[in-house]
Amino acid sequence: MRGTSLPRSLFLTFLLCCTGVKVLPAGLTVSPSRSQFFKGESVSLSCEEDDSSAGWTLRRNTTRGTRTCKDGWGKAAGSTCNMTHLLPHDTGVYWCESREGASSSSVQITVTGGSVILQSPVLPVMEGDDVTLSCRTKTPPSSLPAAFYKDGSLIRTEPAGHMTLHQVTSSDEGLYQCSISGHGESPSSRISVSERSSTSSPSTAPPPPSTSSSSSQFVPYGLLSLTAAIVLVLLLVLLVIHHINRKSKANQEDGEESITYSDIEILQQKQRKDKPNQDSGPSAVISTRTTDDVSYSQIIIRENRRREFSREPAVVYSTLR
């Protein structure tokens, strides 16, 4: 059992080390950059690759299951997937995935068969930025008075169908929806707010859907891979040292278990008189008993006694004639 403990520990360490490092070397962009689409519209999704050798592909999870682009949906062109005629069953979660199984951040895309949609950012917005929401219809005119809701509660009604959230914070996160009288209401879309780093300064305009803003959210793949390899080597060295110490300690314990105990008893014996020339020193009797791991020996030393024998009477032989 001790022999299998080290391989098992090494396997668990490798598993923890590999699963503990989350690498996001690619970003997903959506064009046009919105989360809601009318039935029949087109959309293009692209994986922004930091490592072109990783083989990034588009995947999605809808009511029809999890599939890769060109596997029953979309047309793949490298790391881009084009969808020319959206249908309501295309509603779902979309993300980029490499051959090794690494994944990018995901986006939610909604396709409606209704006549009203809410135009909102598909990617998380930066804390402190301004965000503009637009409520539009499928047929002109699109700039109609619209009511905007957050988490089911009315925010306000805008006459031009546009509402701006100034300097958004985490409290602005939630599900947003809009409705236009006589046309209907849009599906709900979630707006997420990302925390701004201390080196960034707030801007007064919504962030453009550029490649640099989304790529900055990902950590270089090579750096994290090198860090993971160093951590794994250090853990392997510690495990080997620990195994050697345990083996040395086990050998010491095995040596202590193989002790032999002896019981010695010395008894005096009297010297026999009929053997004057025999050594009159004590004689030794040794008895040994062995258990599972311990051997016990008993040594008894007795002094020889001389036994006195009566002399036979003298015999006289005579001859009779």
Side-chain angles (χ1 to χ4, degrees):
M1 189 170 182
R2 290 174 182 168
T4 59
S5 60
L6 181 60
R8 186 180 303 171
S9 301
L10 295 178
F11 173 74
L12 292 176
T13 303
F14 177 78
L15 186 62
L16 289 174
C17 182
C18 293
T19 57
V21 179
K22 186 177 182 181
V23 181
L24 300 177
L28 174 62
T29 60
V30 182
S31 180
S33 183
R34 49 189 168 95
S35 58
Q36 294 185 10
F37 295 86
F38 290 113
K39 177 182 176 181
E41 287 189 318
S42 300
V43 63
S44 178
L45 301 96
S46 300
C47 296
E48 298 174 353
E49 303 178 74
D50 288 345
D51 183 7
S52 58
S53 63
W56 293 92
T57 56
L58 263 299
R59 290 177 63 83
R60 74 175 187 179
N61 184 15
T62 65
T63 56
R64 297 191 172 185
T66 302
R67 295 181 179 179
T68 304
C69 181
K70 206 169 108 174
D71 183 15
W73 68 277
K75 293 181 180 180
S79 59
T80 300
C81 187
N82 299 310
M83 305 174 67
T84 56
H85 188 83
L86 292 173
L87 296 173
H89 66 251
D90 292 317
T91 298
V93 179
Y94 291 74
W95 71 93
C96 298
E97 187 172 302
S98 70
R99 286 191 298 264
E100 290 77 14
S103 301
S104 71
S105 57
S106 60
V107 297
Q108 173 74 37
I109 291 180
T110 303
V111 181
T112 177
S115 57
V116 178
I117 62 170
L118 174 66
Q119 288 185 335
S120 61
V122 63
L123 297 174
V125 296
M126 193 67 68
E127 185 179 20
D129 289 341
D130 294 341
V131 177
T132 299
L133 307 179
S134 299
C135 195
R136 53 173 288 214
T137 59
K138 188 174 184 178
T139 57
S142 58
S143 299
L144 298 174
F148 292 87
Y149 301 85
K150 177 191 174 185
D151 296 331
S153 299
L154 176 65
I155 303 175
R156 61 179 178 268
T157 300
E158 292 290 344
H162 304 283
M163 182 183 71
T164 300
L165 303 175
H166 298 282
Q167 296 183 348
V168 295
T169 62
S170 58
S171 61
D172 293 314
E173 291 185 329
L175 290 174
Y176 286 80
Q177 189 180 18
C178 70
S179 65
I180 297 177
S181 178
H183 292 270
E185 60 183 19
S186 71
S188 298
S189 288
R190 174 169 293 276
I191 293 180
S192 300
V193 179
S194 298
E195 187 174 335
R196 182 181 295 275
S197 61
S198 58
T199 58
S200 302
S201 58
S203 60
T204 57
S210 62
T211 59
S212 59
S213 62
S214 57
S215 298
S216 62
Q217 300 176 1
F218 306 111
V219 182
Y221 178 78
L223 180 60
L224 288 179
S225 299
L226 178 61
T227 304
I230 294 175
V231 172
L232 179 60
V233 171
L234 291 177
L235 290 176
L236 291 178
V237 172
L238 292 176
L239 283 175
V240 170
I241 294 175
H242 178 68
H243 177 71
I244 294 175
N245 292 336
R246 286 187 57 188
K247 187 175 181 180
S248 177
K249 185 177 179 182
N251 292 336
Q252 293 178 0
E253 293 177 354
D254 293 340
E256 294 177 355
E257 293 177 356
S258 61
I259 297 177
T260 302
Y261 299 91
S262 298
D263 186 10
I264 301 176
E265 181 180 356
I266 300 177
L267 300 178
Q268 298 293 329
Q269 290 186 348
K270 295 181 180 181
Q271 188 176 5
R272 296 176 58 179
K273 294 181 179 180
D274 56 340
K275 298 180 181 180
N277 296 327
Q278 184 179 0
D279 185 9
S280 60
S283 60
V285 178
I286 302 175
S287 61
T288 303
R289 185 182 60 176
T290 303
T291 61
D292 294 336
D293 296 325
V294 181
S295 296
Y296 299 91
S297 297
Q298 183 177 9
I299 302 175
I300 303 175
I301 301 177
R302 300 174 181 172
E303 185 178 353
N304 294 328
R305 297 181 181 178
R306 286 189 177 183
R307 295 178 57 185
E308 296 182 359
F309 297 90
S310 59
R311 294 183 178 179
E312 296 181 0
V315 180
V316 177
Y317 297 92
S318 59
T319 302
L320 298 179
R321 297 178 178 226

